[in-house]
Amino acid sequence: MIYALGLAALANTHHTGRNFSILLFTQVSFGMIEINLFSYLLELGGMSGIYLAMAAAFVLSATLLRWLPRSGNDGTSAPLSEGRADLGLLPWSCLCAVFLFYISTGSFWAYIELIGLSGGLSAKLITDSLTYTQVLSLLGCVIAGWLSSRVGQSRPLIASLLCAALAMYSLSQGVTAISFVLVLCVFFLFWNAIDIYQLGTLGNMDHSGRYAAMVPAFQMTAGALGPALAAWLLESQGSYQSVLLMAACSTTLAMLLYVYVYLKLRLSMPAVVDA
């Protein structure tokens, strides 16, 4: 609920691409700090130290409430002549695309270590690859913020989804040390960038934040369903190739939905489509 409130508040701002890129950059940075800090706290104070740190984080968050807007703007970024009625089902199409993309990432992330092992890669190579390529998530946030302020978010979003789908498909054709590392580089470079474009697109379509606030529900539901579908495929097909193909297909479907949204917005809301 707290995360959804934050997304709604950011959707209520201008320069949504830049603001969401700052959000994702902060999330990734604190996630990396958290991994190292919690291991230190575990040695220092056991599980009690970790729980106290979590409680302190919530208390610190409460000090920021004064800067939240009291309510959302009940309108879109489009000119008044275009109106909110023109949105139709486009925001729901974007939310369905979020769902499809997280079906893909959920299944990919759940099984990527086992996929590497199935290709004969060493556990050390897999661990090191997963550790160091995550840094590219920060670079992806910076690039997404830079691109969104220059060419908008729709076209980079479509291109990023295409690259992610091709990367997952390529790994399904064979796992080697080079292909494994390269696909992880692409995955981490584009994962958070895609999130930024998705959130920014919804924010520009409707600055009230009602649709952006629903993004976590679609993300988390798909994030749980993706590994379950992957497990079913593994049981029925007995191959990780089917998992990667499902991830590639799900990402491609998300891309096609955004192509549809982009074309519709170009006709009805040109001021929004490349914002």
Side-chain angles (χ1 to χ4, degrees), residues 5-6 8-13 64-73 208:
L5 175 63
L10 286 176
N12 195 39
T13 64
L64 305 175
L65 290 176
R66 58 179 295 187
W67 285 283
L68 283 175
R70 289 187 174 272
S71 60
N73 175 26
S208 71

Side-chain angles (χ1 to χ4, degrees), residues 144 147-157 197 204 273-275:
L147 273 178
S148 62
S149 64
R150 284 160 177 78
V151 300
Q153 297 170 95
S154 297
R155 287 174 290 175
L157 173 56
Y197 299 137
N204 284 337
V273 68
D274 288 319

Side-chain angles (χ1 to χ4, degrees), residues 55-219:
F58 281 109
V59 172
L60 289 173
S61 298
T63 64
L64 305 175
L65 290 176
R66 58 179 295 187
W67 285 283
L68 283 175
R70 289 187 174 272
S71 60
N73 175 26
D74 193 31
T76 69
S77 60
L80 291 176
S81 60
E82 294 175 350
R84 284 188 55 208
D86 289 336
L87 287 174
L89 294 175
L90 294 183
W92 293 103
S93 298
C94 291
L95 288 170
C96 288
V98 170
F99 183 83
L100 288 168
F101 177 62
Y102 266 77
I103 286 283
S104 171
T105 57
S107 57
F108 181 87
W109 186 243
Y111 286 97
I112 187 59
E113 185 176 0
L114 295 176
I115 289 170
L117 291 172
S118 72
L121 306 184
S122 67
K124 184 178 186 307
L125 173 63
I126 294 170
T127 301
D128 289 345
S129 299
L130 288 170
T131 301
Y132 296 120
T133 54
Q134 288 188 54
V135 179
L136 292 173
S137 296
L138 297 175
L139 178 61
C141 293
V142 174
I143 293 174
W146 180 80
L147 273 178
S148 62
S149 64
R150 284 160 177 78
V151 300
Q153 297 170 95
S154 297
R155 287 174 290 175
L157 173 56
I158 292 168
S160 297
L161 286 167
L162 177 61
C163 290
L166 289 174
M168 294 174 186
Y169 174 77
S170 67
L171 195 61
S172 72
Q173 302 306 300
V175 179
T176 65
I178 294 176
S179 67
F180 186 80
V181 173
L182 287 177
V183 168
L184 281 180
C185 288
V186 172
F187 179 75
F188 283 115
L189 186 63
F190 287 107
W191 183 2
N192 287 311
I194 290 170
D195 282 345
I196 291 166
Y197 299 137
Q198 288 176 325
L199 290 166
T201 299
L202 280 170
N204 284 337
M205 289 169 66
D206 184 3
H207 279 304
S208 71
R210 59 172 54 85
Y211 294 109
M214 286 188 276
V215 166
F218 282 77
Q219 286 178 334

